[in-house]
Every structure is written in structure tokens, then in C-alpha cells.
Amino acid sequence: MSEMNHAAAAEGHLRALSELLRLQGRVRELASSDELAFFMVNETHRLTPYRQALLWDGASGRLRAVSGIAAPDGHAPFSQEMARLCSRWQQSYSQPSRLDASVLDPADRAVWQEYLPAYGLWLPLPAAQGETGLALLLLRETPWQDGDLLLLKELGGAFGHAWFGLNNRRGAKRQKPKRGKVIAACAVLLALMLIPVRQSVIAPAEVVAHRPALLRAPLAGVIDEILVRPNQAVKQGQALVRLDSRELQNQLESARQQFAASDGEYRQAQQQALSDTDAKAQLAVLASRREQGRTEMAFLQAQLARTELVAPRDGVAIFDDVSDLTGRPVAVGEKIMLVADPADSELEIQLPAADAIALAPGADVRLFLNVAPDKSVAATLQQTGYRAALTAENIMAYRLRAGFSQPDPLLRVGLKGSAKIYGERTVLIAWLLRKPWSAMRVWLGV
């Protein structure tokens, strides 16, 4: 009987050693520290049974892994209590040690009894090349035996070695470059930084009309009808916009009736003045009233004629949409549309104040239209805004004007793109450090 027990025990030891070797082989196949942490708390159960396993990372002061959980929550009460206890045990035990509630003070004993089984094993994971700062805490309901400690110590050494290797691949010592090469590299870099370059800046741009004729409202009213389409070619004197004239027509009809009445009174007074001295005395007043009615009627006729707006020159009518204008009330002098020569255009550039560089009239400009980004159009800077103003995009920007060097069929009023404006020459390092240096001066106040 004793021989059978001895054989069974020997067979159990062989199985444990075989499992130990198999686990060590699997550890070598792991590719990351996260995989290794998950493996340690879950696969160690194959070597010796336990109910719960925790991996303590002393370097970061947190639980790295917990058995049965993909990722422990560091804010959970269990994680916080275990972190406090593991930190204390790390300072007290540098070798594999058995733990139970009897080694704790009353407050910690209550925490142990609430969260943990009766018996624990503290297993530090050292590495031959240095300390890993890791410890494996295994817990179960039965006491830990000496054989368990021997097997787990061997496996812990493999775990520590693997952890050190995975986390220190990038820490290998690199060969220091020779001093001559360093000096040569610095000299080359300095020479590159002193290369003269031309300053440039890129800003949004739009093709606009040059010297357009503005069509303004001659009187207050409501736009009744737009007689042309956007970008339609028009001739000088062609009707473009018609304002609502019904109120003026009513006023004109009333003025005509008043004129007819005053004219009748004047003519009647003329006949009576031959024999009646009182009628003769009223004749001058009635004549003045009659002339006032005639003047008011002529004024209303002139205003009625002004309700139809005509093109002031040949060109194209520039506005957004007919429906945006129709029915819109306008004040005296309010802009309704532009009439411009399509062949006479210029470039308007909105240069953000944060990107502004020193620019002078005559600077080169290259326009890259959105409709043809593979081509550029040459232009020359003609005017720079005196001060920055707020744009429609809520950005402080300077308004620049540039004239095109030669006509181009791609250019059409309303097209947008990006303009590259070239400034003076400077060295490369000054150009690269321009914005950081400006920000530093503002911060330092110099």
C-alpha cells in the first residue's frame, strides 16, 4: 500500500514538473507585458489550484491584473484596498511568504475577511538582470504547502525574467557616436540653418471685379423683380431691377386729382376776376396752389421713373441669387448688385494677422484656384490694408489687393482659392523660429 502511495506521489510530482516546464515554454511565446500579466494571474492555476490571483506592480503602485477580469478598475474599493495592503507587503516581504488574516491589524483583518479567502501567498517576481517590482498574490481556502512554494518560486523566476525582457527591449545600450561625427553633423546642421530662403505665406483669396459699377437703390422701397440672372451679360441702359411702384402710383394719382381740382379753381377764379374784386385777390393764391400741385406731380413722376434701375455700363451682373433679392426691402443708397467687366478683375487676399509678414507693393503672388489646383496664376501685390479687420470667418485679417500679370481664361469673378505671397529673403533658422520667437517675446514682455 505504501509503495502505491509512493508511486502516486511520484507521478503527481512528475505531472507538476511537466506542467511547470510547459508553462515556462508558453511564457517565452508571449509578445507583450499585457499578455504576460493576463497569463500570470490566470494560467498559474494549471500548476497549483487557487481561487483568486492578483498581480501587483510596485513601480506604478497599482494592480496590474486580476484573475477572471480583463482590466481591473483602479477606482473600485477592492482595488484601492488591495493596493494599500500590497504596498505594505512589498516593503515587508522580499521572499515568497505565506499570509493570513492573523498577521494584520483589526481594521485590515476586516478588509481581508470581506474580500479574500483564508490563506494567501506573497510571491515576488525577481529577474536575474534586476528587480521587476512585481509580486503575485495567490489566495485560496486551504493552507499553502512547501511543495507549492518550490514550484511557484521556479515559475515566478521565469515570470520575472520574461517581464524584464519584454519591458527593457528598448533599454539596450546604444553605441555612442564618435565625437568627430557629432561635430560634423552639427556643422552640417548649422550650414543648413544659414541657407537663405524667401519668406512666404499662404492665405485665402478670391477673384473680384476691378473698378466695378455699383447699382444702388435710388429710393427706399421693396425689390419687386430682378430682370437678369447672376453673371448675365448686360448692356448699358438695360433694365436690371424693378422696385415696387404701387405706392408711388397711388400718390401720383392723388396728386393728379389735387392738381385737377386746383386747376379748376384757378380757371374759375380767372373768369370771376373780370367782375369780382375778391376773386381777383384770390387769383395769386390759387395760381401758387396750382403750381405746387404741378411740381408735386412732376416729382412723383420722376420718382416713379427711378423705380426701374438700369445698367450703368456694359459688363456682367454680379449678385448671388434672384430669390435672395426679390421681395427684400432696401434703403436709399443700399447696394443691390455690381456690374463689372469680366475681363477686368483683380485678386483680393485675406491675410490672417497671425501669419502676417513684411510685404511691400510689387511682391510676387501665385494664385492656386480651387477649380484648378494643379495650375497657378501669377499676380503682383498692389495694395496692403492699413489695419486688420474682422472677416466673415471671425478672423482678424489684412485685406490685400493684387493685379494679374496677364489675362487668363481660368480667371472669373467669384472664383476662390489660395494665394502664396512672397516676401523678403532671410536665413532658414530665422524663418523657422519666427512664430516661436514672437510668442516668446509676448510671454516675456520684451
Side-chain angles (χ1 to χ4, degrees):
M1 190 68 177
S2 60
E3 292 180 359
M4 294 179 60
N5 293 337
H6 182 73
E11 185 178 355
H13 291 320
L14 289 175
R15 283 198 300 267
L17 291 174
S18 175
E19 188 63 36
L20 174 62
L21 294 174
R22 193 174 68 85
L23 290 174
Q24 289 177 343
R26 291 180 60 188
V27 165
R28 298 188 185 95
E29 299 173 358
L30 300 177
S32 68
S33 58
D34 290 336
E35 293 181 7
L36 179 57
F38 185 84
F39 184 91
M40 284 191 281
V41 297
N42 291 283
E43 296 299 322
T44 305
H45 190 276
R46 297 179 178 276
L47 183 62
T48 182
Y50 54 82
R51 196 181 81 179
Q52 194 171 19
L54 293 80
L55 180 63
W56 167 251
D57 187 355
S60 61
R62 65 185 179 93
L63 290 179
R64 188 63 180 263
V66 178
S67 60
I69 300 176
D73 184 4
H75 299 286
F78 173 79
S79 298
Q80 294 179 354
E81 293 292 347
M82 289 299 101
R84 183 174 57 83
L85 292 176
C86 289
S87 178
R88 183 182 304 173
W89 292 332
Q90 183 182 17
Q91 297 175 1
S92 301
Y93 304 107
S94 60
Q95 297 295 327
S97 304
R98 298 180 178 89
L99 302 175
D100 56 44
S102 62
V103 300
L104 304 175
D105 54 40
D108 293 338
R109 189 178 302 121
V111 173
W112 179 293
Q113 294 174 352
E114 180 180 359
Y115 291 111
L116 305 177
Y119 300 95
L121 178 62
W122 180 260
L123 182 65
L125 305 181
Q129 296 86 348
E131 295 297 328
T132 62
L134 294 180
L136 195 61
L137 178 61
L138 305 177
L139 302 139
R140 67 185 185 184
E141 287 79 4
T142 59
W144 294 92
Q145 305 300 324
D146 293 339
D148 298 330
L149 267 66
L150 290 174
L151 293 174
L152 291 172
K153 186 176 181 179
E154 290 295 328
L155 184 60
F159 285 160
H161 185 274
W163 183 270
F164 185 86
L166 290 173
N167 286 276
N168 289 274
R169 288 177 177 175
R170 299 180 181 178
K173 294 182 179 180
R174 299 179 181 178
Q175 185 178 2
K176 294 183 179 180
K178 295 183 179 180
R179 185 177 180 181
K181 293 182 178 180
V182 173
I183 295 176
C186 292
V188 172
L189 181 60
L190 180 60
L192 291 175
M193 291 295 102
L194 296 178
I195 293 177
V197 295
R198 194 174 185 183
Q199 299 184 67
S200 63
V201 64
I202 298 176
E206 180 180 1
V207 180
V208 298
H210 182 52
R211 296 190 299 269
L214 272 66
L215 194 67
R216 300 182 181 274
L219 65 161
V222 177
I223 299 176
D224 185 49
E225 186 178 5
I226 303 295
L227 304 175
V228 292
R229 299 184 303 275
N231 298 324
Q232 178 181 335
V234 297
K235 296 292 185 180
Q236 183 176 1
Q238 179 181 343
L240 303 180
V241 181
R242 186 176 291 122
L243 301 179
D244 190 355
S245 61
R246 285 172 293 185
E247 183 177 355
L248 287 175
Q249 289 175 350
N250 293 336
Q251 293 177 3
L252 178 60
E253 185 62 28
S254 177
R256 284 173 177 170
Q257 293 178 4
Q258 291 179 3
F259 173 75
S262 61
D263 184 63
E265 292 178 358
Y266 175 75
R267 292 180 184 279
Q268 184 179 2
Q270 275 185 326
Q271 295 176 0
Q272 293 177 355
L274 298 175
S275 58
D276 189 352
T277 56
D278 292 338
K280 188 175 182 179
Q282 293 291 329
L283 192 62
V285 176
L286 294 175
S288 176
R289 188 181 300 169
R290 177 172 174 264
E291 187 62 28
Q292 181 181 358
R294 188 194 303 277
T295 303
E296 183 178 358
M297 187 171 60
F299 172 76
L300 291 173
Q301 287 176 342
Q303 289 291 89
L304 192 62
R306 297 174 70 189
T307 58
E308 187 172 88
L309 282 66
V310 299
R313 57 175 288 185
D314 294 347
V316 294
I318 301 175
F319 60 98
D320 291 332
D321 191 20
V322 173
S323 60
D324 292 341
L325 295 177
T326 305
R328 194 185 79 183
V330 291
V332 178
E334 184 175 348
K335 185 180 74 173
I336 299 177
M337 66 176 64
L338 301 176
V339 178
D341 183 0
D344 187 14
S345 60
E346 63 180 359
L347 187 63
E348 181 180 275
I349 306 169
Q350 297 290 346
L351 177 60
D355 298 333
I357 59 175
L359 298 171
D364 294 334
V365 179
R366 305 295 297 183
L367 171 64
F368 299 87
L369 293 170
N370 294 336
V371 297
D374 57 329
K375 299 180 180 179
S376 64
V377 181
T380 303
L381 186 64
Q382 297 177 343
Q383 178 184 344
T384 302
Y386 176 70
R387 63 177 61 183
L390 198 63
T391 65
E393 291 77 17
N394 202 28
I395 298 174
M396 295 298 294
Y398 294 97
R399 178 175 293 182
L400 280 59
R401 295 273 179 169
F404 294 106
S405 303
Q406 57 186 4
D408 194 297
L410 288 176
L411 299 177
R412 180 172 60 82
V413 175
L415 292 179
K416 296 185 178 182
S418 299
K420 188 172 184 178
I421 313 140
Y422 295 92
E424 300 177 352
R425 292 187 176 274
T426 185
V427 293
L428 180 60
I429 187 171
W431 171 241
L432 294 176
L433 299 179
R434 178 177 62 93
K435 286 190 175 182
W437 175 244
S438 299
M440 185 179 297
R441 290 187 61 185
V442 171
W443 185 70
L444 295 175
V446 295

Coordinates of all heavy atoms in Angstrom, one line a residue, residues 252 255-256 258-260 262 286-300:
L252 N -49.2 109.4 -57.1 CA -49.2 110.2 -58.3 C -50.7 110.4 -58.7 O -51.0 111.5 -59.1 CB -48.4 109.5 -59.4 CG -48.5 110.1 -60.8 CD1 -47.9 111.5 -60.7 CD2 -47.7 109.3 -61.8
A255 N -52.0 113.1 -56.5 CA -51.5 114.4 -56.9 C -52.2 114.9 -58.2 O -52.4 116.1 -58.3 CB -50.0 114.3 -57.1
R256 N -52.5 114.0 -59.1 CA -53.2 114.4 -60.3 C -54.6 115.0 -60.0 O -55.0 116.0 -60.6 CB -53.2 113.3 -61.3 CG -51.9 113.0 -62.0 CD -52.0 111.7 -62.8 NE -50.8 111.4 -63.5 CZ -50.5 110.3 -64.2 NH1 -51.4 109.3 -64.1 NH2 -49.4 110.2 -64.8
Q258 N -55.6 116.2 -57.2 CA -55.4 117.5 -56.5 C -55.1 118.6 -57.5 O -55.6 119.8 -57.4 CB -54.4 117.4 -55.4 CG -54.8 116.5 -54.2 CD -53.7 116.4 -53.2 OE1 -52.7 117.1 -53.3 NE2 -53.9 115.6 -52.2
F259 N -54.2 118.3 -58.5 CA -53.9 119.3 -59.5 C -55.1 119.7 -60.3 O -55.3 120.9 -60.6 CB -52.7 118.8 -60.3 CG -52.4 119.7 -61.5 CD1 -51.7 120.8 -61.3 CD2 -52.9 119.4 -62.8 CE1 -51.4 121.7 -62.4 CE2 -52.6 120.2 -63.9 CZ -51.8 121.3 -63.7
A260 N -55.9 118.7 -60.7 CA -57.1 118.9 -61.5 C -58.0 119.9 -60.7 O -58.6 120.8 -61.3 CB -57.7 117.7 -61.9
S262 N -57.3 122.0 -58.2 CA -56.7 123.3 -58.1 C -56.7 124.1 -59.4 O -56.9 125.3 -59.4 CB -55.3 123.2 -57.5 OG -54.4 122.5 -58.4
L286 N -54.5 131.0 -55.7 CA -54.9 129.8 -56.4 C -53.9 129.4 -57.5 O -53.6 128.2 -57.7 CB -56.2 130.0 -57.1 CG -57.4 130.2 -56.1 CD1 -58.7 130.6 -56.9 CD2 -57.6 128.9 -55.3
A287 N -53.2 130.4 -58.0 CA -52.1 130.1 -59.0 C -51.0 129.4 -58.4 O -50.4 128.4 -58.9 CB -51.7 131.4 -59.7
S288 N -50.6 129.9 -57.2 CA -49.5 129.2 -56.4 C -49.8 127.8 -56.0 O -49.0 126.9 -56.1 CB -49.2 130.1 -55.2 OG -48.2 129.4 -54.4
R289 N -51.1 127.6 -55.6 CA -51.5 126.2 -55.2 C -51.5 125.3 -56.5 O -51.1 124.1 -56.4 CB -52.9 126.3 -54.6 CG -53.4 125.0 -54.0 CD -54.7 125.2 -53.4 NE -54.7 126.2 -52.3 CZ -55.8 126.7 -51.8 NH1 -57.0 126.3 -52.2 NH2 -55.7 127.6 -50.9
R290 N -51.9 125.9 -57.6 CA -51.9 125.1 -58.8 C -50.5 124.7 -59.3 O -50.3 123.6 -59.7 CB -52.6 125.9 -59.9 CG -52.7 125.3 -61.3 CD -53.5 126.2 -62.2 NE -53.5 125.7 -63.6 CZ -52.7 126.2 -64.5 NH1 -51.9 127.2 -64.2 NH2 -52.8 125.7 -65.8
E291 N -49.6 125.6 -59.1 CA -48.2 125.4 -59.5 C -47.6 124.3 -58.5 O -46.8 123.5 -58.9 CB -47.4 126.6 -59.5 CG -46.0 126.5 -60.0 CD -46.0 126.0 -61.5 OE1 -46.9 126.3 -62.2 OE2 -45.0 125.4 -61.9
Q292 N -47.9 124.4 -57.2 CA -47.4 123.4 -56.3 C -47.9 122.0 -56.6 O -47.1 121.1 -56.5 CB -47.9 123.8 -54.9 CG -47.4 122.9 -53.8 CD -47.8 123.3 -52.4 OE1 -48.5 124.3 -52.3 NE2 -47.5 122.5 -51.4
G293 N -49.2 121.9 -57.0 CA -49.7 120.6 -57.4 C -49.0 120.1 -58.7 O -48.7 118.9 -58.8
R294 N -48.6 121.0 -59.6 CA -47.9 120.6 -60.8 C -46.5 120.1 -60.5 O -46.0 119.1 -61.0 CB -47.8 121.7 -61.8 CG -47.3 121.3 -63.2 CD -46.9 122.6 -64.0 NE -48.0 123.5 -64.1 CZ -48.9 123.3 -65.1 NH1 -48.8 122.3 -66.0 NH2 -49.9 124.2 -65.2
T295 N -45.9 120.8 -59.6 CA -44.5 120.4 -59.1 C -44.5 119.0 -58.4 O -43.6 118.2 -58.7 CB -43.9 121.5 -58.2 OG1 -43.9 122.7 -58.9 CG2 -42.5 121.1 -57.8
E296 N -45.5 118.8 -57.5 CA -45.5 117.6 -56.8 C -45.8 116.4 -57.8 O -45.2 115.3 -57.7 CB -46.6 117.6 -55.8 CG -46.7 116.4 -54.9 CD -47.8 116.5 -53.8 OE1 -48.4 117.6 -53.7 OE2 -48.0 115.5 -53.1
M297 N -46.7 116.6 -58.8 CA -47.0 115.6 -59.8 C -45.7 115.3 -60.6 O -45.4 114.1 -60.9 CB -48.1 116.1 -60.7 CG -48.6 115.0 -61.6 SD -50.1 115.5 -62.4 CE -49.6 117.0 -63.3
A298 N -44.9 116.3 -61.0 CA -43.7 116.0 -61.7 C -42.7 115.3 -60.9 O -42.0 114.4 -61.4 CB -43.1 117.4 -62.2
F299 N -42.6 115.6 -59.6 CA -41.7 114.9 -58.7 C -42.0 113.4 -58.6 O -41.2 112.6 -58.7 CB -41.7 115.6 -57.3 CG -40.9 114.8 -56.3 CD1 -39.5 114.8 -56.3 CD2 -41.6 114.1 -55.3 CE1 -38.8 114.1 -55.3 CE2 -40.8 113.3 -54.4 CZ -39.5 113.4 -54.4
L300 N -43.3 113.1 -58.4 CA -43.7 111.8 -58.3 C -43.5 111.0 -59.6 O -43.2 109.8 -59.6 CB -45.2 111.7 -57.9 CG -45.5 112.2 -56.4 CD1 -47.0 112.2 -56.2 CD2 -44.8 111.2 -55.4

